[in-house]
């Protein structure tokens, strides 16, 4: 069995690595252990992860954590796109300078409000709707910070990691009643419907068309969608479009006009208005600040 050593994966001056990866259908990551902690966030596709002999299905919106020295392998059931976050516990806190375990991270004072003494943790948290958007936005910013390595990037990454762990622990802790409600709504909003919305959100998409596909009236679908996602369909589409626009502004040289059309806004003035409403500044101002 292969062992992934810190020296080969982590710069000792950084102690963190954030990378987007793709595993093609039926490809495998063979069994290995690591000298660091690993977080895997699924952006697209699905896979079967195996952690210490336990099979864990992983799909879009899932965040898995693999502890130091756990045996980890996985196989892509379809093209599998994910973000791999490798780090040492000391990156999270000076309290953890001599520790190796992710469970030590859970025990530091920073997260004490989330953790009970008898808490039992699973290896996966699942996010959907507005929570998934929030997690993806954090991870997207982490990717950008790690790739660009601008002044203070390690401090920024440390802050994002703390937020990400707070969200992870909140999800793992959960509230049973809320989970039951969400499960009921999930039976009405199927993965196929969410996939259709995600695939067409950069085009002209209407509530009536989606409701018809789910065999509900538009008013009923709108009500159920908002309860399931925590926001209306129009807000969901808007946030997806603006998140993609931010990605294009940061990582491409497309003009603002081109980006406006690529994310589904043919009216550039309206795109400016929506972008500023969400981000707090215009697309041009946002890109100028990056430069």
């Amino acid at each position: 069995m292969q062992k992934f050593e810190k020296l080969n994966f982590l710069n000792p001056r950084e102690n963190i690595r954030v990378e987007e990866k793709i595993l093609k259908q039926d490809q495998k990551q063979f069994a290995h252990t690591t000298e660091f902690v690993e977080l895997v966030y699924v952006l697209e596709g699905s896979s079967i992860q195996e952690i210490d002999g336990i099979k864990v299905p992983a799909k879009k919106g899932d965040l898995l954590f693999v502890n130091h020295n756990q045996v980890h392998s996985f196989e892509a059931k379809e093209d599998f796109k994910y973000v791999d976050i490798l780090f040492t516990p000391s990156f999270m806190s000076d309290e953890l300078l001599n520790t190796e375990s992710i469970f030590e991270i859970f025990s530091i004072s920073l997260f004490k409000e989330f953790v009970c003494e008898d808490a039992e943790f699973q290896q996966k948290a699942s996010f959907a709707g507005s929570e998934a958007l929030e997690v993806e936005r954090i991870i997207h910013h982490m990717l950008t910070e790690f790739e660009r390595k601008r002044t203070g990037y390690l401090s920024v990454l440390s802050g994002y990691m703390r937020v990400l762990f707070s969200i992870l622990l909140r999800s793992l802790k959960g509230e049973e009643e809320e989970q039951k409600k969400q499960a009921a709504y999930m039976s009405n909003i199927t993965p196929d419907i969410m996939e259709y919305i995600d695939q067409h959100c950069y085009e002209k998409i209407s509530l009536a068309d989606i409701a018809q596909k789910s065999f509900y009236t538009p008013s009923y679908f709108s009500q159920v969608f908002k309860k399931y996602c925590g926001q209306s369909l129009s807000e969901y589409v808007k946030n997806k479009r603006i998140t993609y626009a931010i990605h294009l502004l940061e990582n491409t040289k497309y003009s603002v006009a081109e980006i406006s059309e690529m994310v589904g806004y043919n009216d550039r003035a309206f795109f400016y208005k929506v972008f500023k409403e969400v981000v707090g500044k215009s697309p041009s101002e946002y890109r100028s600040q990056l430069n």
Side-chain angles (χ1 to χ4, degrees), residues 22-263:
I22 297 178
L23 201 67
K24 293 296 183 181
Q25 184 175 2
D26 296 328
Q27 280 188 320
K28 297 180 180 180
Q29 172 66 267
F30 292 102
H32 61 275
T33 61
T34 69
E35 290 186 339
F36 41 79
V37 176
E38 181 178 15
L39 294 182
V40 177
Y41 182 77
V42 184
L43 294 171
E44 296 176 9
S46 63
S47 70
I48 298 295
Q49 309 270 331
E50 187 166 328
I51 304 172
D52 280 350
I54 299 174
K55 294 186 183 298
V56 183
K59 65 183 187 311
K60 177 179 171 61
D62 286 348
L63 178 65
L64 297 94
F65 55 88
V66 184
N67 204 8
H68 166 267
N69 269 342
Q70 282 192 307
V71 180
H72 181 212
S73 64
F74 58 94
E75 178 179 359
K77 310 310 286 184
E78 54 187 313
D79 287 357
F80 183 64
K81 184 177 179 181
Y82 63 102
V83 174
D84 210 19
I85 303 175
L86 316 177
F87 65 100
T88 61
S90 60
F91 180 78
M92 294 285 293
S93 170
D94 290 340
E95 296 177 50
L96 304 172
L97 187 61
N98 298 313
T99 64
E100 298 171 331
S101 168
I102 193 170
F103 302 106
E104 295 284 350
I105 297 174
F106 292 159
S107 70
I108 64 176
S109 57
L110 180 67
F111 302 123
K112 63 182 180 181
E113 66 181 286
F114 294 104
V115 184
C116 302
E117 290 184 4
D118 59 350
E120 293 184 4
F121 294 105
Q122 302 175 1
Q123 301 273 175
K124 179 181 76 172
S126 298
F127 300 96
S130 58
E131 277 194 337
L133 285 173
E134 181 182 6
V135 171
E136 285 187 25
R137 186 170 294 181
I138 290 168
I139 289 177
H140 163 73
H141 285 308
M142 290 180 68
L143 279 166
T144 301
E145 288 292 334
F146 186 78
E147 289 168 1
R148 297 194 172 193
K149 301 185 188 303
R150 293 177 291 189
T151 303
Y153 75 100
L154 289 176
S155 295
V156 174
L157 282 170
S158 178
Y160 279 132
M161 282 293 288
R162 292 174 181 227
V163 173
L164 189 60
F165 262 80
S166 295
I167 294 172
L168 168 62
L169 286 169
R170 183 188 298 159
S171 175
L172 291 173
K173 184 177 181 182
E175 294 183 7
E176 291 185 7
E177 288 304 312
E178 187 61 29
Q179 290 175 350
K180 289 177 183 178
K181 290 178 184 177
Q182 289 296 96
Y185 295 134
M186 285 179 69
S187 66
N188 292 315
I189 304 293
T190 65
D192 289 345
I193 294 298
M194 291 305 299
E195 183 178 359
Y196 177 84
I197 294 171
D198 287 344
Q199 288 178 349
H200 294 83
C201 66
Y202 308 118
E203 308 167 8
K204 187 176 181 181
I205 187 169
S206 74
L207 174 61
D209 290 340
I210 300 170
Q212 186 177 26
K213 288 183 176 295
S214 59
F215 304 103
Y216 299 128
T217 65
S219 60
Y220 179 75
F221 180 85
S222 178
Q223 178 185 3
V224 170
F225 186 91
K226 188 166 186 177
K227 288 179 178 177
Y228 172 56
C229 287
Q231 58 188 322
S232 67
L233 176 64
S234 61
E235 289 172 332
Y236 180 85
V237 170
K238 176 181 71 177
N239 286 327
K240 290 283 288 187
R241 288 178 172 183
I242 297 305
T243 297
Y244 186 38
I246 289 171
H247 170 77
L248 293 173
L249 286 167
E250 290 182 347
N251 298 286
T252 74
K253 294 184 179 180
Y254 290 120
S255 69
V256 174
E258 290 172 321
I259 291 174
S260 175
E261 292 185 1
M262 291 171 70
V263 301

